[in-house]
């Protein structure tokens, strides 16, 4: 074993201690560095706290400009007598436009037509979408082509789709009447009748939106764990029983979402009935005039801006009521499953 004899520093003077290194830096930060660190920390805290609000602020700015302000202005216009020719010339009426709407038989007719067209278009549409999604959920050859084909009607413009269906439902030369004639049924004047015209409009809505809802259901089905189907299969469940007791309960939130969205769309139905006959009257007897068409006729044809604004607010309140009903339904369904909706 050896000993390392390191040399000590020579004394500054004879008999003194070793010299201290005066140029050695201390670990304590300077005031400038402290201020810099504090500034960085402050910016970091502000970034964490306010950046999310900055990211979502464009949406709310646009919503305030193009959603909230028109809503408030429409409510203000609904309490005035105003013409679309001179919207700045307003006469205060209070709630007279709403009370007049309450006694307006054309408004109730439009509301009834909107309700019936919404029912006969939404229910078959969602049922067909659910069935198609269930079929497409299996491994099929060319499944991507089927999905693209289902989305094609959604990408088609309302005008083009309505034009094609108007030709199909033509009284004299329509293909539907031609097909009915082959089985001995007399030609039907689809536009003249109440139910026939509403059925024709519903088929346009069904054709356009079934594929869209199918893809929503398909995406939700593919998120269902395969373990549930394997367990059901081991228990002897058939395909139908798996669909009924596994798929449907798993899709319940998605189904409620599509019902809400479809109901809102049905309440705002406008393009299809307008373009079917090219008139805002909704037929000679207003047999398929919806709320959207009645609003358009009142405001843009008869130029009664205040009454049209009252109709718009009535539609808005109707959507709020529908939303509350679906919210209550969701809570009830959640409680029945032992979940907090």
């Amino acid at each position: 074993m050896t000993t390392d004899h390191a040399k000590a520093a020579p004394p500054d003077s004879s008999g003194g201690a070793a010299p201290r290194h005066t140029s050695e830096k201390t670990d304590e930060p300077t005031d400038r560095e402290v201020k810099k660190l504090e500034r960085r920390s402050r910016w970091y805290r502000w970034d964490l706290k306010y950046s999310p609000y900055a990211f979502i602020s464009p949406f709310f700015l646009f919503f305030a400009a193009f959603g909230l302000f028109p809503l408030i202005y429409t409510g203000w216009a609904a309490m005035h007598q105003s013409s679309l020719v001179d919207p700045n010339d307003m006469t205060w009426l209070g709630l007279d436009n709403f009370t007049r709407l309450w006694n307006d038989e054309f408004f109730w007719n439009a509301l009834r037509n909107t309700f019936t067209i919404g029912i006969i278009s939404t229910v078959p549409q969602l049922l067909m979408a659910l069935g198609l999604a269930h079929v497409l959920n299996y491994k099929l050859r060319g499944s991507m082509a089927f999905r693209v084909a289902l989305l094609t009607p959604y990408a088609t413009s309302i005008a083009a789709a309505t034009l094609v269906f108007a030709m199909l439902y033509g009284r004299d030369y329509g293909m539907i009447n031609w097909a009915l004639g082959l089985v001995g049924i007399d030609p039907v004047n689809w536009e003249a009748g109440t139910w026939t015209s509403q059925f024709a409009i519903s088929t346009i809505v069904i054709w356009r939106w079934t594929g869209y809802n199918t893809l929503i259901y398909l995406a939700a089905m593919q998120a269902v764990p395969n373990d549930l189907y394997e367990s059901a299969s081991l228990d002897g469940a058939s395909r139908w029983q798996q669909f009924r007791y596994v798929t449907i309960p798993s899709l319940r939130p998605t189904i409620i979402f599509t019902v809400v969205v479809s109901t809102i769309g049905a309440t705002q139905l406008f393009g299809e009935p307008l373009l079917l006959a090219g008139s805002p009257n909704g037929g000679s007897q207003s047999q398929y005039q919806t709320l959207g068409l009645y609003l358009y006729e009142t405001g843009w044809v008869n130029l009664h801006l205040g009454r049209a604004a009252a109709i718009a607010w009535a539609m808005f309140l109707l959507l709020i009521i529908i939303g509350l009903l679906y919210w209550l339904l969701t809570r009830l369904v959640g409680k029945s499953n032992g979940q907090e909706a």
Side-chain angles (χ1 to χ4, degrees):
M1 182 175 180
T2 59
T3 302
D4 187 11
H5 297 281
K7 289 185 178 180
D12 190 21
S13 60
S14 60
R20 184 183 296 274
H21 294 285
T22 55
S23 60
E24 184 178 356
K25 294 183 178 179
T26 61
D27 294 335
E28 296 180 358
T30 63
D31 293 342
R32 185 177 180 181
E33 291 175 339
V34 170
K35 291 181 179 178
K36 188 176 180 180
L37 289 174
E38 289 178 352
R39 188 166 57 252
R40 283 185 178 178
S41 177
R42 187 165 54 249
W43 278 107
Y44 180 72
R45 290 197 305 271
W46 287 356
D47 182 33
L48 288 179
K49 189 174 182 180
Y50 298 112
S51 290
Y53 297 102
F55 291 143
I56 64 174
S57 60
F59 166 77
F60 286 100
L61 290 175
F62 279 99
F63 174 75
F66 302 105
L68 186 60
F69 173 73
L71 183 66
I72 296 173
Y73 181 79
T74 304
W76 176 255
M79 297 183 180
H80 292 78
Q81 181 182 4
S82 177
S83 172
L84 190 65
V85 178
D86 188 9
N88 294 324
D89 183 14
M90 292 185 173
T91 303
W92 176 260
L93 292 179
L95 298 177
D96 286 356
N97 281 330
F98 292 98
T99 55
R100 180 170 182 165
L101 207 61
W102 182 262
N103 300 317
D104 188 355
E105 60 175 322
F106 292 101
F107 170 77
W108 292 107
N109 175 67
L111 179 61
R112 187 166 51 252
N113 292 339
T114 303
F115 179 76
T116 53
I117 294 175
I119 291 294
I120 61 179
S121 64
T122 300
V123 175
Q125 171 195 149
L126 296 182
L127 290 177
M128 290 171 60
L130 199 59
L132 287 171
H134 181 66
V135 173
L136 288 176
N137 198 29
Y138 292 109
K139 293 182 179 179
L140 298 176
R141 182 174 297 177
S143 59
M144 183 58 69
F146 288 119
R147 296 173 188 179
V148 173
L150 283 172
L151 198 59
T152 302
Y154 176 70
T156 307
S157 70
I158 298 177
T162 307
L163 177 63
V164 171
F165 275 88
M167 295 173 65
L168 290 175
Y169 283 108
R171 185 189 61 182
D172 298 325
Y173 303 103
M175 187 175 291
I176 304 295
N177 279 341
W178 171 77
L180 292 177
L182 294 178
V183 293
I185 299 177
D186 295 334
V188 178
N189 191 354
W190 294 93
E191 186 186 335
T194 300
W195 284 104
T196 54
S197 60
Q198 294 182 4
F199 175 80
I201 293 171
S202 300
T203 55
I204 305 174
V205 178
I206 292 171
W207 183 80
R208 286 199 71 236
W209 290 96
T210 298
Y212 175 81
N213 289 309
T214 299
L215 294 184
I216 292 179
Y217 287 145
L218 180 61
M221 285 181 184
Q222 291 181 345
V224 178
N226 288 326
D227 298 344
L228 298 178
Y229 292 106
E230 292 174 358
S231 301
S233 179
L234 290 175
D235 290 339
S238 63
R239 293 284 190 183
W240 167 249
Q241 289 173 327
Q242 292 178 23
F243 176 74
R244 182 178 176 183
Y245 296 109
V246 177
T247 304
I248 296 296
S250 301
L251 296 185
R252 189 170 292 147
T254 307
I255 292 173
I256 293 176
F257 168 76
T258 54
V259 169
V260 172
V261 173
S262 299
T263 305
I264 293 174
T267 308
Q268 299 173 343
L269 193 63
F270 176 75
E272 290 86 349
L274 174 66
L275 297 172
L276 183 65
S279 169
N281 298 327
S284 57
Q285 302 295 323
S286 301
Q287 62 268 23
Y288 56 90
Q289 186 180 52
T290 60
L291 284 175
L293 271 185
Y294 186 52
L295 185 154
Y296 177 76
E297 183 186 23
T298 304
W300 275 260
V301 178
N302 300 328
L303 305 179
H304 298 312
L305 181 61
R307 296 182 198 169
I311 297 171
W313 258 87
M315 294 173 65
F316 176 66
L317 295 176
L318 181 64
L319 288 177
I320 290 179
I321 294 172
I322 292 173
L324 289 175
L325 290 176
Y326 282 126
W327 176 70
L328 290 174
L329 177 63
T330 305
R331 286 186 63 86
L332 290 175
V333 171
K335 286 183 178 180
S336 66
N337 293 334
Q339 301 172 355
E340 188 64 29

